[in-house]
Each structure stands twice: as structure tokens, then as C-alpha cells.
Amino acid sequence: MSDNAAAPKKQGRNNGAVVMMCLSFVFGMGAMSYAAVPLYRIFCQVTGYNGTTQRVDQVSSVVLDRTMRVTFDANVAPGLQWDFKPVEREVNPKIGETIQVNFTAENRSNETQRGQAVFNVTPGEAGVYFNKVQCFCFTETDLKPGEKLDMPVVFYIDPDIVKAVESKNIHTVTLSYTFYPKEGPKPLASNEGGAEKMEKKL
């Protein structure tokens, strides 16, 4: 009798353990998925993988007697009514020379919109050698209705690009940007309106 009574209890404990293991697995997979994007971004920034450029604080101290053709591509994702384009379609700086180029963005909508620029360099092998000192892509951008903004990018090509086997024969790189919509803070006016309604109710 005692053996039969113990069997269901043992089976219940086993089922509970299986459920807990499954829940732990699902939770762990969710956490890994959540962490995968920032970890992948960090990996790309460190290695230059997938054409991710490097962010630096200092300019190059070495300038080679060889130029690199740099072309620019500008795109806007659905959700932003912006006109976004480079001022110059291409430049030809010396490798190691620090140079500034400019992009412009204009809000064509009748409301304030916030955007964040995502970027990459092609060919991908050049990404690790493309160093940005200053870029509008480091922060989010707010544009009022009809507002137009000049946005500088300061960069240089690392002279080591001519030493690596996979990049020494690269003569043209393309810096590409895409602006995506970002949700901004709620307008202060809406909060004030809510406060007025509350005062009337009181």
C-alpha cells in the first residue's frame, strides 16, 4: 500500500522537475535572444565584421601618398518623411588623411520626427579600417516640421588597410546610411492637458 502511494508522489515530483527544466530552457533561450543583438553589435564594432566602421577619438598620425575613393549612399526607412542625402557623392582623400563630409536631412512631414542612422561600409573587409572621429549616427536626431539640418561626418582610412591581404587591393569603399524612425518622448502639452482635466474633476 505504501509503495503504491509513494509512486504517484514520486511521479509528481518528476513531472515538476521536467516542467521547471523546460521553463528554465525557454527563459534562457529568451535571454540569449535578447542579448544576441547588442553582443553582435559589439562584435561587429570590434572586428569590423559586416562592414561595421570603427569609432575613434584621435586622428591618424600617418598619411600615405595614395588616395582612396569613398562614395556615399543615403536611405530612409518607412516611417520617416525625410529627405536625406550626402552633399558630395564621393571624395578622394589620401589614406590616413582626416576629412569631413556633410549630409543633409529635411523633415517633409507636418510633425516632429526622431530618427537614428544605421551605417555600414562595403566591401565588408574595409569596415575595420574605416575610422569615424565624429558622426551624426552616434546619437538620435530630432527634426521639426520643415526643419533642415546639416550633419557632418569626420573620418579617415587606417593606413593599415594597405598591409592586410584581404584589403590591400581595395581602391573604393562606400559608406552607407539608413535613417530609421525612433519613438521620442511624449509631448509636454499632452501631460499639461491631462493635469488640467484632473483639476476640473477635483
Side-chain angles (χ1 to χ4, degrees):
M1 186 75 177
S2 59
D3 292 342
N4 293 337
K9 291 181 180 179
K10 186 175 181 181
Q11 185 177 359
R13 285 196 297 268
N14 290 340
N15 290 341
V18 171
V19 171
M20 287 301 296
M21 288 175 63
C22 290
L23 289 175
S24 298
F25 177 77
V26 171
F27 178 78
M29 291 300 291
M32 288 177 64
S33 298
Y34 182 79
V37 173
L39 288 175
Y40 178 75
R41 186 180 298 116
I42 292 171
F43 170 77
C44 289
Q45 290 174 345
V46 171
T47 64
Y49 180 75
N50 202 26
T52 303
T53 65
Q54 308 300 296
R55 182 175 180 175
V56 295
D57 297 322
Q58 296 180 342
V59 299
S60 174
S61 58
V62 178
V63 178
L64 304 182
D65 190 23
R66 170 181 159 182
T67 60
M68 178 71 72
R69 179 171 176 256
V70 183
T71 64
F72 305 104
D73 179 46
N75 308 279
V76 180
L80 281 181
Q81 299 178 42
W82 289 9
D83 182 17
F84 172 53
K85 59 187 178 183
V87 174
E88 298 176 271
R89 287 294 174 183
E90 67 175 68
V91 292
N92 292 274
K94 290 184 176 181
I95 296 175
E97 177 187 2
T98 302
I99 185 172
Q100 176 177 315
V101 297
N102 293 284
F103 287 71
T104 61
E106 183 176 3
N107 185 355
R108 298 286 191 175
S109 73
N110 58 3
E111 61 181 5
T112 298
Q113 292 188 329
R114 171 172 293 182
Q116 174 78 57
V118 176
F119 55 87
N120 76 309
V121 167
T122 52
E125 293 82 2
V128 71
Y129 303 102
F130 199 105
N131 295 307
K132 290 182 180 177
V133 181
Q134 179 185 344
C135 183
F136 58 86
C137 56
F138 295 158
T139 58
E140 296 176 353
T141 301
D142 290 319
L143 289 180
K144 297 176 182 178
E147 183 180 6
K148 186 175 182 179
L149 184 65
D150 292 325
M151 299 178 294
V153 180
V154 179
F155 71 90
Y156 68 88
I157 307 296
D158 192 320
D160 285 343
I161 195 171
V162 302
K163 299 177 182 178
V165 175
E166 68 275 8
S167 60
K168 66 180 182 180
N169 293 320
I170 294 176
H171 298 282
T172 300
V173 298
T174 298
L175 176 61
S176 180
Y177 287 101
T178 301
F179 256 109
Y180 288 89
K182 295 283 287 187
E183 185 176 351
K186 293 182 179 179
L188 187 59
S190 64
N191 295 332
E192 292 175 350
E196 290 176 2
K197 290 179 182 178
M198 286 296 292
E199 288 176 0
K200 289 180 181 179
K201 286 184 179 180
L202 294 174

